[in-house]
Amino acid sequence: MMEAAHETFTPAGRHLRLDTFVRLRWLALTGQSAAVVGAQFGLGLNLPFGWCFLVIAASCWLNLALRIRFPASYRLSDDSAALLLAFDIVQLAGLLFLTGGLQNPFSLLFLAPVLISATALPPERTLALGLLAVGLATLLALVHRPLPWFADGRIELPFLYVSGVWTAILLGTAFTGVYAWRVAEETRQLARALAATELVLAREQHLSQLDGLAAAAAHELGTPLGTIMVVAKELDRQLGPTASPAIAEDLSLLRDQVDRCRGILSKLTSMGEETEEGETFLQTVTFGHLVEELVAPQRALGIAVDVSKQGEGAEPICRRNAGVMFGLANILDNAVDFAESRVLIEARWTAERVTLTIRDDGPGFPSEVLLRAGEPYVTTRSRGRTRKPDEAGGGLGLGLFIAKTLIERSGAQLLLSNITEAGQHGALVRVTWARHVFEREAIAPHRVAHNSLRPLTERDAAPI
């Protein structure tokens, strides 16, 4: 689950706001304008004043266009940010071309866009911008307008000095880029780790609070369920000889559902408890047996539940985890509840992955719910088949949250989406484990599980 949280916080962690770039460019443009005006009128240097301000105006126009087109809170993609920084490098190169090239002491400002890229963009973008800056610096070392000076209007510095400035730009770009990226990456990793930890702690806190509620609910519901069972038996005794087939069927269904509720409450109260033999509420089962155990209670509910099992090599085995079973059963109940006629369960395994996919032919998840699915108090889908139009309300949205948390505790990743294949519709839930994680607590292959019904073959060794 920590890995999933890490992936969640990674992409958006780099993206900078457009407002940050706009403000930094206004600051740079103010400095460039002050330098040109100061040199022209304060020092009396003979600069190509009009051309210089034309280059500066190009950045001003871009800033105004970005400010009008996008809101201040807009966050740039990596490519967009790299293009803006590349424009800044080219604009600075244009100014330096008009004012002496690398002989201009402001040529070290080539480092600024690369430094910003190193702190906010991936290394590939920073490398590309660094190569652009060094390439333009090389061009300016060879081709540029003369540096304005007091006496005759120009001065030529030795090429050795210009080569030293070029070397300083090259080394400065490489060193500051790597150093800034390393420091910023460590900061990002720490921020992602803290954010992921806060997310996990928040989810664990929600679940621990629900543990007490589950125990209290199991205790409080025991008495009314017992009363319902007594009344059902009494009605069956009184109406049995004269009851119509429809009433007899309803009474039988009522008793079956009460027994099922009692079984669920028994599981809730027995999770984590030890048996007399010292074993926990876990057993070793094959992947196929686990799927069949999930499907068995759903086969009499009027919805076709089809199971497809296929894999490479031996079928994986695992320790029967009550929390995982409860979470998967919750998801399957949801699929059966909203399906129109059919639910498909696909069990797949390879040498690296174990995947369980549950899909139905119902209305699917609303797009706005998919964004927050799995958070507490967010209901997944509006009920259709099982609720009448005049019935209001729904669940509290805790079922999927509990299921997601319990399943991800086992090291799985849970993905919710809608079916997009042509001619099909419905919801799709995919649970994926790394195979070594799925089998990590299983009994060693040379031992035979006590609940295994697979007969021995000639190659199998019977335990002594």
Side-chain angles (χ1 to χ4, degrees), residues 37-73:
V37 171
Q40 179 75 19
F41 300 104
L43 300 178
L45 302 183
N46 186 23
L47 294 176
F49 190 77
W51 286 105
C52 289
F53 263 91
L54 183 61
V55 175
I56 295 174
S59 288
C60 292
W61 294 333
L62 177 61
N63 250 16
L64 292 174
L66 292 174
R67 179 65 77 185
I68 295 173
R69 175 64 178 83
F70 299 99
S73 60

Side-chain angles (χ1 to χ4, degrees), residues 225-306:
L225 282 176
T227 303
I228 294 173
M229 177 59 76
V230 171
V231 172
K233 289 182 178 180
E234 186 65 19
L235 290 174
D236 187 35
R237 185 181 65 81
Q238 294 180 1
L239 301 177
T242 59
S244 64
I247 294 178
E249 183 180 355
D250 289 342
L251 290 175
S252 176
L253 178 61
L254 179 61
R255 290 195 303 271
D256 290 342
Q257 294 303 308
V258 171
D259 289 336
R260 185 182 176 192
C261 289
R262 281 182 166 177
I264 293 174
L265 295 179
S266 176
K267 289 181 180 180
L268 285 175
T269 56
S270 63
M271 287 184 185
E273 295 181 358
E274 293 188 354
T275 63
E276 296 179 357
E277 293 78 10
E279 297 181 353
T280 59
F281 184 69
L282 302 171
Q283 296 173 347
T284 300
V285 294
T286 64
F287 190 31
H289 289 166
L290 183 146
V291 173
E292 289 298 331
E293 184 175 348
L294 289 173
V295 173
Q298 309 290 342
R299 295 205 182 272
L301 298 182
I303 297 295
V305 181
D306 300 330

Side-chain angles (χ1 to χ4, degrees), residues 84-97:
L84 289 178
L85 291 174
F87 174 84
D88 291 338
I89 294 175
V90 173
Q91 189 261 359
L92 177 61
L95 275 180
L96 292 175
F97 170 79

Side-chain angles (χ1 to χ4, degrees), residues 257-452:
Q257 294 303 308
V258 171
D259 289 336
R260 185 182 176 192
C261 289
R262 281 182 166 177
I264 293 174
L265 295 179
S266 176
K267 289 181 180 180
L268 285 175
T269 56
S270 63
M271 287 184 185
E273 295 181 358
E274 293 188 354
T275 63
E276 296 179 357
E277 293 78 10
E279 297 181 353
T280 59
F281 184 69
L282 302 171
Q283 296 173 347
T284 300
V285 294
T286 64
F287 190 31
H289 289 166
L290 183 146
V291 173
E292 289 298 331
E293 184 175 348
L294 289 173
V295 173
Q298 309 290 342
R299 295 205 182 272
L301 298 182
I303 297 295
V305 181
D306 300 330
V307 178
S308 171
K309 293 183 290 185
Q310 184 179 356
E312 302 175 2
E315 187 175 353
I317 60 175
C318 67
R319 291 287 281 179
R320 189 186 183 285
N321 185 302
V324 173
M325 296 296 295
F326 184 87
L328 294 176
N330 187 292
I331 294 175
L332 181 57
D333 287 342
N334 195 56
V336 172
D337 194 14
F338 292 100
E340 294 180 359
S341 60
R342 181 171 178 262
V343 173
L344 175 62
I345 300 178
E346 299 176 348
R348 301 287 185 266
W349 64 88
T350 65
E352 294 81 22
R353 297 286 176 185
V354 177
T355 305
L356 181 66
T357 303
I358 301 175
R359 60 172 70 198
D360 61 61
D361 58 355
F365 296 104
S367 57
E368 65 273 9
V369 172
L370 279 176
L371 297 175
R372 297 184 58 210
E375 296 182 13
Y377 311 112
V378 177
T379 49
T380 53
R381 292 178 277 178
S382 59
R383 302 182 68 85
R385 180 179 58 83
T386 58
R387 282 192 182 270
K388 298 178 181 179
D390 58 347
E391 288 183 313
L396 292 176
L398 293 174
L400 183 58
F401 162 72
I402 297 173
K404 180 178 175 66
T405 303
L406 291 174
I407 291 172
E408 289 184 345
R409 274 181 173 178
S410 68
Q413 292 184 356
L414 189 144
L415 173 66
L416 282 73
S417 63
N418 287 325
I419 299 174
T420 58
E421 300 172 7
Q424 300 186 25
H425 59 86
L428 184 147
V429 179
R430 177 172 288 113
V431 184
T432 305
W433 293 268
R435 180 155 182 164
H436 71 277
V437 173
F438 184 80
E439 296 183 319
R440 63 187 170 190
E441 296 181 356
I443 297 177
H446 66 274
R447 295 178 56 189
V448 179
H450 67 277
N451 64 331
S452 177

